[in-house]
Amino acid sequence: VPARAPRGPPGVTPVGTGTVGASPAATAAWLGGPGPGPGAAAAVSYLEDVARQQGGPVPCATGITVFERAWSLSTLSRAGMTLPVPPRLLAGLAATVGPAGTATAPGLPADADTTAVTLYALARLGRPVDPASLWGYDTGEHFCTWPGEDGASVTTNAHVLDAFGWHLAHRAPADARLTAVTRRLTRWLADRQSSDGAWTDRWHASPYYATSCAVLALAGHGRGPAAVGAVTRAADWVLAGQRADGSWGRWGGTVEETAYAVQVLRAARSAAPAAVEAALGRARRYLATMEGRDGAPALWHDKDLYRPVVIVRAAVAAARHLVRAGASGDAFTGPGYGRTPLISAA
């Protein structure tokens, strides 16, 4: 980074944190442009902080603050974990939702995935925001992550089903448009389930992540027999994939993938409850042996592999809670499990 930082392309400036596009590379490119400009000192500070945190090499994107906060709060809430959430945190999340939704972080464009998870988290925590911003991502068949997206994301559409499904369950009288879209998303997700019962997605290397997203959405807000059948097949696939040490994983057992498998088994209404409880008991012992151990692999896809530590820790904390809670205490029991805010905003 040059000592006297210059300014990049006209009309492009860093956001308040000093980043351009939540990207160290984009920020460095901006600093490499001609002439000094406002925001340069903050941009230099941002790059120095990122390099210091990572020990030199820097990730593709950082920091992904909205993405991490919304994801973690929705995960912990859905698992039934009761803990105080500062009102300013909820107010900050609510303030990110605009006409086009919300972005993963300041400086990035809004996207349907972060928007849906943010809306769902806010609704569960007692501060619902109208989900109208999501309609701009509707292709008529599914919801794109960004307009013009090449392909489609299973997990984005699962999270959109969560957001719309929660609002449908809490509105009176029922909203015909929300009823229709939840049915459409149920069919779309069920049609993309693999023959073995799993789902895969572009944003994560492991099918356990995509499968957990799809199962949680379908079990909580899916409509009709297609949802029930898809969830049952997914639970059977998870049961069959447990390793001897009680873990789950695509290449080898990991704490993160085990957390997703636990969420699937707790959310599914299995026809084999004894087998589920036995599997969860083995998972509980595995998670106990891994307490305090980090160094798990980076399984998330962007332009490089990365590991959003806050999100992964929230998933693991939720799983540990669910295997401790037992069949009588878990938050996924019964239809519409996502209807009650479970985290106090006091």
Side-chain angles (χ1 to χ4, degrees), residues 146-206:
W146 297 278
E149 178 183 33
D150 182 11
S153 166
V154 164
T155 58
T156 292
N157 284 271
H159 295 139
V160 172
L161 176 57
D162 278 332
F164 281 141
W166 190 96
H167 282 82
L168 177 62
H170 289 76
R171 283 185 172 178
D175 186 309
R177 191 181 187 191
L178 291 183
T179 299
V181 78
T182 55
R183 287 175 177 161
R184 172 157 55 99
L185 287 172
T186 296
R187 291 192 301 269
W188 190 89
L189 287 170
D191 287 347
R192 277 143 191 85
Q193 187 176 29
S194 301
S195 59
D196 62 4
W199 282 268
T200 58
D201 195 55
R202 61 177 60 184
W203 305 123
H204 204 284
S206 173

Side-chain angles (χ1 to χ4, degrees), residues 247-277:
S247 68
W248 282 269
R250 178 174 180 177
W251 295 287
T254 70
V255 174
E256 180 184 353
E257 291 168 281
T258 299
Y260 301 140
V262 165
Q263 291 172 4
V264 170
L265 294 181
R266 275 289 179 232
R269 293 148 185 81
S270 175
V276 169
E277 290 307 314

Side-chain angles (χ1 to χ4, degrees), residues 86-299:
R88 64 182 180 181
L89 177 55
L90 295 181
L93 279 180
T96 67
V97 183
T102 190
T104 295
L108 292 174
D111 67 83
D113 202 18
T114 307
T115 299
V117 175
T118 300
L119 291 170
Y120 185 67
L122 288 169
R124 286 195 59 91
L125 300 177
R127 188 163 179 160
V129 175
D130 191 291
S133 58
L134 282 173
W135 291 112
Y137 301 93
D138 189 3
T139 69
E141 177 188 8
H142 65 280
F143 282 71
C144 58
T145 308
W146 297 278
E149 178 183 33
D150 182 11
S153 166
V154 164
T155 58
T156 292
N157 284 271
H159 295 139
V160 172
L161 176 57
D162 278 332
F164 281 141
W166 190 96
H167 282 82
L168 177 62
H170 289 76
R171 283 185 172 178
D175 186 309
R177 191 181 187 191
L178 291 183
T179 299
V181 78
T182 55
R183 287 175 177 161
R184 172 157 55 99
L185 287 172
T186 296
R187 291 192 301 269
W188 190 89
L189 287 170
D191 287 347
R192 277 143 191 85
Q193 187 176 29
S194 301
S195 59
D196 62 4
W199 282 268
T200 58
D201 195 55
R202 61 177 60 184
W203 305 123
H204 204 284
S206 173
Y208 289 100
Y209 170 73
T211 300
S212 70
C213 292
V215 165
L216 293 176
L218 290 170
H221 304 292
R223 303 182 72 85
V228 176
V231 168
T232 300
R233 288 189 295 275
D236 290 343
W237 172 75
V238 168
L239 280 174
Q242 189 173 33
R243 295 174 179 272
D245 63 355
S247 68
W248 282 269
R250 178 174 180 177
W251 295 287
T254 70
V255 174
E256 180 184 353
E257 291 168 281
T258 299
Y260 301 140
V262 165
Q263 291 172 4
V264 170
L265 294 181
R266 275 289 179 232
R269 293 148 185 81
S270 175
V276 169
E277 290 307 314
L280 291 174
R282 292 189 292 271
R284 180 172 59 250
R285 291 189 288 276
Y286 167 78
L287 290 171
T289 65
M290 300 299 289
E291 187 82 45
R293 296 169 61 181
D294 209 342
L299 296 172

